[in-house]
Amino acid sequence: MIKIRMYLKKKWKTAVPAFLIAFSLLLNLAGWISRSFCNFYARHIFPVWVETYGRLTGLFPFSVGERMLYLAAVLTAVLALWSSAAFVRAAIRRCRRGPGGKKPPENKRLPVALGIYGTVYFWITGVVCLVMTLNCFLLYHVSPVYERYEIGGAGRERYGAAEIAALRDYVVEQANALAPLMSRDGEGDLVYEGDMIREAKEQMGRLSGRIDTLKGYYPDPKPLLASDFFSQQYIMGYYFPFSMEANYNDIMYVVNLPTTLCHELSHLKGFILEDEANFIGYLACVDSEDDFFRYSAYLSVLGYLDRDFYQAAGKDREVYQSHPAISELVLRDDIFLTGETWEEVEETALISTETVKEVSNTFTETALVLNGVEDGRVSYSRVVDLLLRYYDGILY
C-alpha cells in the first residue's frame, strides 16, 4: 500500500490523465452496452453541464469552443515540431564528436522542456476524452426520440409513396404561401427585423411543453469567427461539447438561421443525432407565430422531402410534375449562401472549397460511424421518417 502511494505521489502528473482516459473508455463501453444507462444519463446528469459550465462559457460574447479548437490545433502543431526538432538534434549529437573524439556535453534543457510540454498535452488529452464522452459520445446511444416521447400518430412500421407525397405537397404548399409574405431588400433577398436569438430560445422553451428535456437554461448561440471556412464545409452551425455552446454560421443566407439556432440549441439538451436535431429545429420553428420562423422550418426540410418523394415516385418526371410545384420564389430562397457571399468566400479561401469539403465529409462520416450511426451523413435525411411519424393522423 505504501509503495502504491509513493508511486502515485511520484507519477500523479501522468497517472491522473491516464485515469481520465481509462474512465472515458469505460463510460463509452457502458454506453454501447446499456441504452438504459445512456437514457438515465441524458435525462438526469447531462442537463447539469449546461446549467453550470454552460452558464460560465455563456458569459463570454465570443465562441469559447471555437477558440479552444484553434488553440488545440496550435498546441498539436507545436508539439509535433518540437518533438521533431528534439529528435533531429539528438541524431545530430550522436554523429558529432568533440576534441579527442569525445561527445559534446548534453544540453538537458530541451528534453526537460519537451517533457513538461508533453505532460501538459497529456493532461489536455485526458480532459478532452472525458468531456467529449460526457457531452457527446454517450448521447449517441440514447433511445430514439419517438420512443422517449409521443411523436405524432401510432407510428407505422413503414410509410409508402402516398404518405411521402402528402407530406411533401403539404410542405411545398406552406412554403409557397409564405414566400410572398416575407420582407425583402431592393434586390429581392430576404431580411429579418427582430431579435432572432431571443425568438429561437423562446420557441425552444415552448416546445419543452411537449418534450420536457428541452426545459431549462439556454445560452445565447454565438457566431463562428471562421464562418467563411465553415461555409466551405457547408456547415450551418456547430455544437462544441467541450464548451457547451451553440454556434452558427453568420454569413449564410438569413432564412437558414432560425432552424439552425434551434437545431444547435437542441444539442445542448442532449439531442446529438443530426436527424433528431433537424426535427426539433423544425418543430420549434413551425409552431412560431413569426412567419419567418415558419418559412425557415419548411425550407429546412423541403430538400429532403422533395428528393425522397422523387425517389418514391420511381424518378418518374410525369408523376413528379403532377404534384404541386415549388414556386420560383421558394427555389430562390432555398439556398445556403448567396452568390455574392460565395464569391467572397472563394476569393479569401486559403484552401479550395472542394478539398475542404472532401476532408470535412470524410471526418464527419468517420465520426458518425464510430459512434454507432451506421449510415453516416445519410442519417441527416432521416428527419423525413420523423416527420412522417409526426404528421401521421394529421395529413394521412
Side-chain angles (χ1 to χ4, degrees), residues 91-336:
I92 293 173
R93 183 180 177 280
R94 289 193 190 96
C95 298
R96 291 175 57 192
R97 296 282 177 176
K102 294 182 179 180
K103 292 183 179 181
E106 184 178 357
N107 184 355
K108 296 183 179 181
R109 290 182 179 179
L110 182 61
V112 170
L114 184 59
I116 293 173
Y117 192 91
T119 300
V120 171
Y121 195 86
F122 191 32
W123 269 81
I124 293 173
T125 301
V127 171
V128 168
C129 285
L130 182 61
V131 170
M132 288 296 292
T133 297
L134 295 175
N135 294 351
C136 184
F137 299 152
L138 290 178
L139 302 175
Y140 277 103
H141 305 293
V142 299
S143 298
V145 64
Y146 58 80
E147 289 184 9
R148 289 182 284 162
Y149 303 97
E150 291 185 11
I151 302 296
R156 311 179 196 183
E157 287 271 335
R158 185 181 180 84
Y159 292 92
E163 291 80 22
I164 294 175
L167 177 56
R168 179 264 180 194
D169 291 353
Y170 170 76
V171 169
V172 168
E173 289 168 353
Q174 295 299 312
N176 287 349
L178 285 168
L181 305 180
M182 298 296 102
S183 297
R184 299 176 184 274
D185 61 18
E187 297 181 357
D189 292 333
L190 292 169
V191 294
Y192 183 80
E193 298 175 359
D195 191 335
M196 192 179 289
I197 289 178
R198 185 178 69 178
E199 177 66 18
K201 291 165 65 174
E202 288 180 356
Q203 286 305 123
M204 292 295 286
R206 292 190 186 102
L207 187 57
S208 68
R210 281 188 280 170
I211 303 178
D212 61 354
T213 48
L214 294 176
K215 293 178 180 177
Y217 168 75
Y218 286 98
D220 285 349
K222 301 172 183 179
L224 290 161
L225 176 66
S227 287
D228 288 40
F229 180 65
F230 281 96
S231 292
Q232 289 185 279
Q233 303 169 64
Y234 288 78
I235 289 176
M236 294 184 178
Y238 211 95
Y239 158 63
F240 286 109
F242 33 85
S243 64
M244 294 304 292
E245 291 174 303
N247 300 261
Y248 63 91
N249 182 331
D250 67 347
I251 67 170
M252 66 182 173
Y253 196 45
V254 66
V255 75
N256 298 306
L257 271 171
T259 45
T260 297
L261 295 176
C262 295
H263 173 117
E264 299 306 326
L265 288 173
S266 74
H267 287 322
L268 294 177
K269 296 301 178 181
F271 295 91
I272 201 67
L273 293 174
E274 293 298 324
D275 57 315
E276 294 189 357
N278 284 340
F279 179 61
I280 289 173
Y282 174 87
L283 290 186
C285 292
V286 82
D287 286 341
S288 174
E289 295 179 0
D290 188 320
D291 285 346
F292 193 88
F293 269 65
R294 291 170 52 223
Y295 189 47
S296 177
Y298 294 126
L299 289 191
S300 73
V301 299
L302 180 58
Y304 297 124
L305 285 168
D306 198 51
R307 184 181 64 243
D308 282 13
F309 165 64
Y310 185 58
Q311 294 287 341
K315 298 184 179 180
D316 188 319
R317 294 297 300 176
E318 187 175 342
V319 172
Y320 178 82
Q321 291 172 356
S322 69
H323 287 257
I326 302 172
S327 74
E328 291 297 324
L329 202 52
V330 170
L331 289 173
R332 185 185 191 282
D333 292 333
D334 192 17
I335 58 175
F336 175 43

Side-chain angles (χ1 to χ4, degrees), residues 39-54:
N39 289 342
F40 177 85
Y41 173 79
R43 172 170 284 275
H44 299 289
I45 301 175
F46 178 73
V48 174
W49 311 141
V50 71
E51 292 286 350
T52 53
Y53 183 51

